[in-house]
Amino acid sequence: MIVLSDFEAVREALVSQAEVFSDRPSVPIVAMLTKKKGIVFAPYGPVWRQQRKFSHSTLRHFGLGKHSLEPKIIEELKYVKEEMLRYGKDPFNPFPIISNSVSNVICSMAFGRRFDYEDVEFKTMLSLMSRALEISVNSHVLLVNICPWLYYLPFGPFRELRQIEFDVTAFLKKIIAQHRDTLDRENPRDFIDMYLLQVEEERKSNSESSFNEDYLFFIIGDLFIAGTDTTTNTLLWCLLYMSLHPEVQEKVHTEIEVVIGRDRAPSLTDKAHMPFTEATIMEVQRMTVVVPLSVPRMASATTVLRGYTIPKGSVIVPNLWSVHRDPNIWERPDDFQPTRFLDENGQLIKREMFIPFGIGKRVCMGEQLAKMELFLMFVNLMQNFTFLYPENATKPAMEGRFGLTLAPFPFNIIVLKR
Ligand code: HEM
């Protein structure tokens, strides 16, 4: 296993030698759960390429990176604000509200509907997925990689993981079946409908096609797993940093006041006029790197990288966390300083070493969607609220909780209506 810990090494492998370093390793626990299907863990090759291309363009069709998705996100925020206001001046844990709302954005694109925050099945699904990400890096569970049969043990984390797999499968399969039964070929409602139509289309002309309902199930699972925890944790980190850095929060408030005011909802077009707010989100992403070790890659051929021979089959870990804390790149890397992303005129500087979404052929497929959600949700919440850290509560350890994503330790927050 080779860990790439600085930007140049990551870029040389993932960009300059992309043909060699774009595969994923075959990890038994992952292969058992994903059957090597979907996008995130699929082997590099024509099937991955077809599925990623189709998924990306279909998400774009339903608004990824475009203004047409804005109203859905803004509508979701109505529920978020209502929920937050219910606590009055009492501290509360923002995790469930944020996680429900982020995943509802994916739901609206994938399933054509949102779920009520009180919906028991939906709430259970979200906490199960989050739990699965947490326990899948548990040291006992990782033993499955050495002894795959451990996965079938009827006790401990193995049993829990299998139960989660069973429940999530049943939930998603039910939704896919409902779509199949109500499909209107002339009016595809969402991602699932578009995929089902593609399956029918390919069946006519290509008997070898990788498009089938089974594959669809894994892609939907990927959109949830890759899209919910990452964006949720980033937003939670944003709220936590704001509550601990009131001076930064105040500057964001001022910028919102000047550019948007209080009478209308934020729009993506505001982004270009809000460099400080954007720099603040970027700085939170730099400090917290929610996918700290990216998703591992594998060398698909023997090659030479930075003078070292890398044998075919080596697992490559791009250490995004260390790239974003490298003192050779970032001055005082452990300090929270949004201004590092601004020039002397207060304009945003694009820094190529800022790569929280990874780089290369397998760069995050949801990057535009995540950026859109982060901006619209963060700005909308900040437009309406001041976030306070409860006075007598101990400050949480800021290194976070490591699962497949880096989550803040559970914390409570107080919202004050502005
Ligand atoms: C702040 C939010 C997010 C962060 C920081 C993030 C980060 C990442 C990273 C680091 C990777 C691995 C890239 C690599 O292998 O080099 C990745 C892959 C991926 N992400 Fe995201 N992600 C975020 C949100 C999303 C969203 C909202 C979606 C949903 C559409 C998504 C879908 C994916 C997919 C499908 C992949 C696999 C790409 C492939 O293997 O070809 N991500 N993401």
Side-chain angles (χ1 to χ4, degrees):
M1 181 182 281
I2 291 123
V3 181
L4 306 175
S5 289
D6 77 6
F7 175 71
E8 286 308 330
V10 171
R11 177 165 60 183
E12 189 177 325
L14 273 47
V15 179
S16 311
Q17 297 204 46
E19 275 310 314
V20 178
F21 291 109
S22 291
D23 210 350
R24 299 282 190 216
S26 179
V27 181
I29 178 84
V30 175
M32 284 163 109
L33 290 170
T34 66
K35 316 280 183 288
K36 298 196 175 184
K37 294 179 178 173
I39 299 172
V40 183
F41 298 107
Y44 180 62
V47 172
W48 161 80
R49 197 170 292 111
Q50 276 166 13
Q51 296 288 337
R52 176 170 167 137
K53 194 168 163 223
F54 175 85
S55 303
H56 193 238
S57 71
T58 304
L59 288 179
R60 275 191 71 73
H61 177 83
F62 287 111
L64 177 138
K66 296 201 243 167
H67 288 286
S68 53
L69 188 62
E70 245 182 61
K72 289 224 169 75
I73 299 181
I74 299 293
E75 192 210 335
E76 196 56 44
L77 277 151
K78 238 177 45 205
Y79 298 98
V80 174
K81 288 183 283 186
E82 263 170 40
E83 286 289 307
M84 288 189 166
L85 282 171
R86 283 188 17 208
Y87 291 90
K89 289 186 180 156
D90 292 337
F92 65 95
N93 177 357
F95 170 79
I97 305 177
I98 298 290
S99 153
N100 285 358
S101 62
V102 167
S103 106
N104 259 337
V105 175
I106 305 263
C107 286
S108 73
M109 298 172 99
F111 306 158
R113 61 165 288 197
R114 64 175 298 280
F115 289 87
D116 195 81
Y117 295 170
E118 295 311 315
D119 187 303
V120 177
E121 203 181 10
F122 179 57
K123 268 180 19 187
T124 315
M125 270 319 106
L126 290 183
S127 62
L128 285 181
M129 284 193 202
S130 178
R131 176 81 183 128
L133 286 186
E134 202 180 312
I135 54 176
S136 57
V137 292
N138 164 306
S139 55
H140 291 110
V141 170
L142 290 180
L143 281 177
V144 172
N145 293 329
I146 301 161
C147 304
W149 52 265
L150 282 175
Y151 186 63
Y152 300 99
L153 285 182
F155 51 79
F158 311 105
R159 200 179 78 120
E160 190 182 352
L161 201 57
R162 267 185 301 125
Q163 187 60 45
I164 294 177
E165 186 193 356
F166 183 82
D167 292 344
V168 173
T169 305
F171 176 74
L172 292 183
K173 291 228 156 144
K174 189 170 87 186
I175 292 181
I176 294 175
Q178 282 163 353
H179 275 71
R180 195 194 320 111
D181 295 344
T182 54
L183 182 65
D184 172 358
R185 282 170 187 73
E186 302 309 315
N187 296 302
R189 296 158 291 191
D190 49 37
F191 187 94
I192 295 187
D193 277 1
M194 295 282 273
Y195 198 100
L196 291 172
L197 292 177
Q198 184 74 10
V199 173
E200 287 187 358
E201 197 54 41
E202 296 252 335
R203 210 176 272 150
K204 288 183 210 149
S205 55
N206 175 8
S207 57
E208 308 271 282
S209 168
S210 63
F211 286 85
N212 54 55
E213 272 190 37
D214 191 37
Y215 219 108
L216 166 62
F217 161 75
F218 287 101
I219 291 201
I220 297 289
D222 269 6
L223 294 184
F224 267 95
I225 289 172
T228 303
D229 245 47
T230 45
T231 315
T232 299
N233 285 329
T234 309
L235 273 168
L236 289 172
W237 280 118
C238 284
L239 302 187
L240 183 59
Y241 269 90
M242 287 306 94
S243 69
L244 297 172
H245 294 268
E247 72 296 347
V248 175
Q249 176 160 207
E250 200 183 318
K251 284 192 182 158
V252 174
H253 278 149
T254 307
E255 194 171 62
I256 293 174
E257 200 75 40
V258 171
V259 178
I260 307 175
R262 298 200 184 187
D263 300 333
R264 67 166 177 89
S267 153
L268 282 184
T269 44
D270 296 319
K271 206 171 171 186
H273 311 291
M274 301 179 67
F276 188 81
T277 305
E278 209 182 336
T280 301
I281 298 173
M282 287 163 81
E283 180 65 347
V284 171
Q285 287 195 278
R286 184 193 70 79
M287 290 291 287
T288 59
V289 196
V290 294
V291 193
L293 300 180
S294 190
V295 180
R297 306 285 189 101
M298 184 181 73
S300 50
T302 298
T303 186
V304 175
L305 180 70
R306 317 213 97 203
Y308 294 94
T309 301
I310 312 288
K312 177 178 174 176
S314 306
V315 176
I316 311 294
V317 177
N319 183 348
L320 300 183
W321 195 89
S322 73
V323 167
H324 293 92
R325 294 282 183 120
D326 184 348
N328 295 319
I329 301 180
W330 312 97
E331 205 179 305
R332 301 172 68 95
D334 298 334
D335 291 357
F336 178 65
Q337 262 175 33
T339 47
R340 70 174 78 244
F341 287 103
L342 299 175
D343 66 14
E344 60 282 6
N345 300 318
Q347 293 309 306
L348 201 70
I349 314 172
K350 298 263 180 240
R351 301 191 65 172
E352 60 170 350
M353 298 86 172
F354 177 69
I355 50 168
F357 296 96
I359 40 173
K361 290 180 189 290
R362 299 202 82 145
V363 64
C364 173
M365 193 187 80
E367 179 171 354
Q368 291 121 305
L369 174 62
K371 284 181 172 165
M372 217 179 144
E373 288 182 83
L374 289 178
F375 179 79
L376 291 175
M377 291 185 156
F378 178 65
V379 172
N380 202 309
L381 289 175
M382 292 287 283
Q383 183 186 33
N384 287 275
F385 300 126
T386 300
F387 292 91
L388 302 178
Y389 199 75
E391 248 171 44
N392 37 16
T394 38
K395 204 179 134 200
M398 296 300 276
E399 69 269 22
R401 211 157 37 114
F402 182 62
L404 276 184
T405 55
L406 193 68
F409 284 102
F411 63 96
N412 286 341
I413 207 154
I414 298 174
V415 297
L416 292 186
K417 180 106 187 71
R418 297 185 65 228

